[in-house]
Coordinates of all heavy atoms in Angstrom, one line a residue:
T130 N 0.5 -1.8 38.2 CA 1.0 -3.1 38.4 C 0.1 -3.8 39.2 O -0.3 -5.1 38.9 CB 2.4 -3.2 39.1 OG1 3.2 -2.4 38.4 CG2 2.9 -4.6 39.4
L131 N -0.6 -3.3 40.2 CA -1.6 -4.0 41.1 C -2.8 -4.2 40.3 O -3.5 -5.3 40.5 CB -1.8 -3.2 42.3 CG -2.7 -3.9 43.4 CD1 -2.0 -5.0 44.0 CD2 -3.0 -2.9 44.6
R132 N -3.2 -3.3 39.5 CA -4.4 -3.3 38.8 C -4.4 -4.5 37.8 O -5.3 -5.2 37.4 CB -4.8 -2.0 38.0 CG -5.2 -1.0 38.8 CD -5.3 0.3 37.9 NE -6.1 0.1 36.8 CZ -6.1 0.8 35.7 NH1 -5.2 1.8 35.6 NH2 -6.8 0.5 34.6
L133 N -3.1 -4.7 37.1 CA -2.9 -5.8 36.1 C -2.8 -7.1 36.9 O -3.3 -8.1 36.2 CB -1.6 -5.5 35.3 CG -1.7 -4.3 34.4 CD1 -0.4 -4.1 33.6 CD2 -2.7 -4.4 33.4
K134 N -2.3 -7.2 38.0 CA -2.2 -8.5 38.7 C -3.6 -9.0 39.0 O -3.8 -10.2 38.9 CB -1.4 -8.4 40.0 CG -1.2 -9.5 40.8 CD -0.4 -9.3 42.0 CE -0.3 -10.7 42.8 NZ 0.5 -10.5 44.1
Y135 N -4.5 -8.0 39.4 CA -5.8 -8.4 39.8 C -6.8 -7.9 38.6 O -7.7 -7.1 39.0 CB -6.2 -7.8 41.1 CG -5.5 -8.5 42.3 CD1 -4.3 -7.8 42.8 CD2 -5.8 -9.6 42.9 CE1 -3.5 -8.3 43.8 CE2 -5.1 -10.2 43.9 CZ -4.0 -9.5 44.3 OH -3.3 -9.9 45.5
R136 N -6.5 -8.1 37.4 CA -7.2 -7.6 36.3 C -8.7 -8.0 36.4 O -9.5 -7.1 36.0 CB -6.6 -8.1 35.0 CG -7.2 -7.4 33.8 CD -6.9 -5.9 33.7 NE -7.0 -5.2 32.4 CZ -6.7 -3.9 32.2 NH1 -6.4 -3.2 33.2 NH2 -6.9 -3.5 31.0
Y137 N -8.9 -9.1 36.9 CA -10.5 -9.5 36.9 C -11.3 -8.5 37.8 O -12.4 -8.4 37.6 CB -10.5 -10.9 37.5 CG -9.6 -11.4 38.4 CD1 -9.9 -11.0 39.9 CD2 -8.4 -12.0 38.2 CE1 -9.0 -11.5 40.9 CE2 -7.5 -12.3 39.2 CZ -7.7 -12.1 40.5 OH -6.9 -12.4 41.5
L138 N -10.5 -8.0 38.8 CA -11.3 -6.9 39.7 C -11.2 -5.5 39.0 O -12.1 -4.9 39.1 CB -10.5 -7.0 41.1 CG -10.5 -8.2 42.0 CD1 -9.8 -8.0 43.2 CD2 -12.0 -8.5 42.2
D139 N -10.0 -5.2 38.5 CA -9.9 -3.9 37.7 C -11.0 -3.9 36.6 O -11.6 -2.7 36.5 CB -8.5 -3.9 37.1 CG -8.3 -2.5 36.6 OD1 -8.7 -1.5 37.3 OD2 -7.7 -2.3 35.5
L140 N -11.3 -4.9 36.0 CA -12.3 -5.0 34.9 C -13.8 -4.9 35.5 O -14.7 -4.5 34.7 CB -12.3 -6.3 34.1 CG -11.0 -6.4 33.2 CD1 -10.9 -7.7 32.5 CD2 -11.2 -5.3 32.0
R141 N -13.9 -4.9 36.7 CA -15.2 -4.6 37.3 C -15.5 -3.2 37.5 O -16.7 -2.8 37.6 CB -15.3 -5.4 38.6 CG -15.5 -6.8 38.6 CD -15.7 -7.3 40.1 NE -15.7 -8.7 40.3 CZ -15.6 -9.5 41.5 NH1 -15.8 -8.8 42.5 NH2 -15.4 -10.7 41.4
R142 N -14.6 -2.4 37.5 CA -14.8 -1.0 37.7 C -15.5 -0.4 36.6 O -15.3 -0.7 35.4 CB -13.4 -0.3 37.9 CG -12.6 -0.6 39.1 CD -11.4 0.2 39.4 NE -10.5 0.3 38.3 CZ -10.3 1.5 37.6 NH1 -10.9 2.5 37.8 NH2 -9.4 1.4 36.5
P143 N -16.5 0.4 37.0 CA -17.4 1.0 35.8 C -16.6 1.6 34.7 O -17.1 1.5 33.5 CB -18.3 2.0 36.6 CG -18.3 1.5 38.0 CD -17.0 0.8 38.2
E144 N -15.6 2.4 34.9 CA -15.0 3.1 33.8 C -14.2 2.1 32.9 O -14.2 2.3 31.7 CB -14.0 4.1 34.3 CG -12.8 3.6 35.2 CD -11.9 4.6 35.6 OE1 -12.1 5.9 35.2 OE2 -11.0 4.6 36.4
M145 N -13.7 1.0 33.4 CA -13.1 -0.1 32.7 C -14.2 -0.8 31.9 O -14.0 -1.2 30.7 CB -12.4 -1.1 33.5 CG -11.0 -0.5 34.0 SD -10.0 0.1 32.8 CE -9.6 -1.5 31.9
Q146 N -15.4 -1.1 32.5 CA -16.4 -1.8 31.7 C -16.9 -0.8 30.7 O -17.3 -1.3 29.4 CB -17.5 -2.2 32.7 CG -17.1 -3.1 33.7 CD -18.3 -3.8 34.4 OE1 -19.4 -3.4 34.5 NE2 -18.1 -5.1 34.9
K147 N -16.9 0.4 30.9 CA -17.4 1.4 29.8 C -16.4 1.3 28.6 O -16.8 1.3 27.4 CB -17.6 2.8 30.3 CG -18.7 3.0 31.2 CD -18.6 4.5 31.8 CE -19.8 4.7 32.7 NZ -19.7 6.1 33.4
N148 N -15.1 1.2 28.9 CA -14.1 1.1 27.8 C -14.2 -0.2 27.0 O -14.2 -0.1 25.8 CB -12.7 1.2 28.5 CG -12.4 2.5 29.0 OD1 -13.0 3.6 28.8 ND2 -11.3 2.5 29.9
I149 N -14.5 -1.3 27.6 CA -14.6 -2.5 26.9 C -16.0 -2.6 26.2 O -16.0 -3.1 25.1 CB -14.6 -3.7 27.9 CG1 -13.2 -3.7 28.7 CG2 -14.6 -5.1 27.3 CD1 -11.9 -3.8 27.8
I150 N -17.0 -2.0 26.7 CA -18.2 -2.0 26.0 C -18.1 -1.1 24.7 O -18.7 -1.3 23.6 CB -19.3 -1.5 26.9 CG1 -19.7 -2.6 27.9 CG2 -20.7 -1.3 26.2 CD1 -20.5 -2.2 29.1
L151 N -17.4 0.0 24.9 CA -17.2 0.9 23.8 C -16.4 0.1 22.7 O -16.7 0.3 21.4 CB -16.3 2.1 24.2 CG -15.8 3.0 23.1 CD1 -17.0 3.6 22.4 CD2 -14.9 4.2 23.7
R152 N -15.4 -0.6 23.1 CA -14.7 -1.3 22.1 C -15.6 -2.3 21.4 O -15.5 -2.5 20.1 CB -13.6 -2.2 22.8 CG -12.6 -2.8 21.9 CD -11.6 -3.7 22.6 NE -10.7 -4.4 21.7 CZ -9.5 -4.3 21.5 NH1 -8.9 -3.2 22.2 NH2 -8.8 -5.0 20.8
H153 N -16.5 -3.0 22.0 CA -17.5 -3.8 21.4 C -18.3 -3.1 20.4 O -18.6 -3.5 19.3 CB -18.3 -4.5 22.4 CG -19.6 -5.0 21.8 ND1 -19.8 -6.2 21.1 CD2 -20.9 -4.5 22.0 CE1 -21.1 -6.3 20.7 NE2 -21.7 -5.3 21.2
R154 N -18.8 -1.9 20.8 CA -19.6 -1.0 20.0 C -18.9 -0.7 18.7 O -19.4 -0.6 17.7 CB -20.1 0.2 20.8 CG -21.4 0.8 20.2 CD -22.1 1.6 21.2 NE -21.4 2.6 21.8 CZ -21.1 2.7 23.2 NH1 -21.5 1.7 23.9 NH2 -20.4 3.6 23.7
V155 N -17.6 -0.2 18.9 CA -16.8 0.2 17.7 C -16.7 -0.9 16.8 O -17.0 -0.6 15.4 CB -15.4 0.7 18.3 CG1 -14.4 0.7 17.1 CG2 -15.6 1.9 19.0
T156 N -16.4 -2.1 17.2 CA -16.2 -3.2 16.3 C -17.6 -3.6 15.5 O -17.7 -3.9 14.3 CB -15.6 -4.4 16.8 OG1 -16.4 -4.9 17.9 CG2 -14.2 -4.1 17.5
K157 N -18.6 -3.5 16.2 CA -19.9 -3.8 15.7 C -20.3 -2.7 14.6 O -20.8 -3.2 13.4 CB -21.0 -3.7 16.8 CG -22.5 -3.8 16.3 CD -22.8 -5.2 15.7 CE -24.2 -5.5 15.6 NZ -25.0 -4.5 14.7
I158 N -20.0 -1.4 14.9 CA -20.3 -0.4 13.9 C -19.3 -0.6 12.6 O -19.9 -0.5 11.5 CB -20.1 1.0 14.4 CG1 -21.1 1.2 15.6 CG2 -20.2 2.0 13.4 CD1 -20.8 2.3 16.5
M159 N -18.1 -1.0 12.8 CA -17.2 -1.2 11.7 C -17.7 -2.4 10.9 O -17.9 -2.3 9.6 CB -15.8 -1.7 12.3 CG -15.1 -0.5 12.7 SD -13.5 -0.9 13.5 CE -12.7 0.6 13.9
R160 N -18.1 -3.5 11.5 CA -18.6 -4.6 10.7 C -19.9 -4.3 9.9 O -20.1 -4.7 8.7 CB -18.9 -5.8 11.7 CG -17.7 -6.6 12.2 CD -18.0 -7.8 12.8 NE -16.8 -8.7 12.9 CZ -16.0 -8.7 14.0 NH1 -16.3 -7.9 15.1 NH2 -15.0 -9.5 14.0
D161 N -20.8 -3.6 10.6 CA -22.0 -3.2 9.8 C -21.7 -2.3 8.6 O -22.3 -2.5 7.6 CB -22.9 -2.4 10.8 CG -23.6 -3.4 11.9 OD1 -23.5 -4.6 11.6 OD2 -24.1 -2.8 12.9
Y162 N -20.8 -1.3 8.8 CA -20.5 -0.4 7.8 C -19.9 -1.3 6.6 O -20.3 -0.9 5.3 CB -19.4 0.6 8.3 CG -18.8 1.6 7.2 CD1 -19.7 2.6 6.8 CD2 -17.7 1.2 6.4 CE1 -19.2 3.5 5.8 CE2 -17.3 2.1 5.4 CZ -17.9 3.2 5.1 OH -17.5 4.0 4.1

Side-chain angles (χ1 to χ4, degrees):
T130 300
L131 191 64
R132 289 176 52 205
L133 292 177
K134 181 178 179 180
Y135 296 95
R136 189 61 165 182
Y137 40 84
L138 297 178
D139 191 40
L140 286 171
R141 285 186 193 172
R142 297 190 302 114
E144 62 182 354
M145 288 300 298
Q146 294 196 337
K147 287 176 185 175
N148 292 344
I149 301 303
I150 292 169
L151 172 62
R152 187 184 176 110
H153 159 76
R154 194 157 60 243
V155 165
T156 57
K157 174 67 165 59
I158 294 165
M159 287 174 171
R160 283 191 165 97
D161 289 346
Y162 175 85

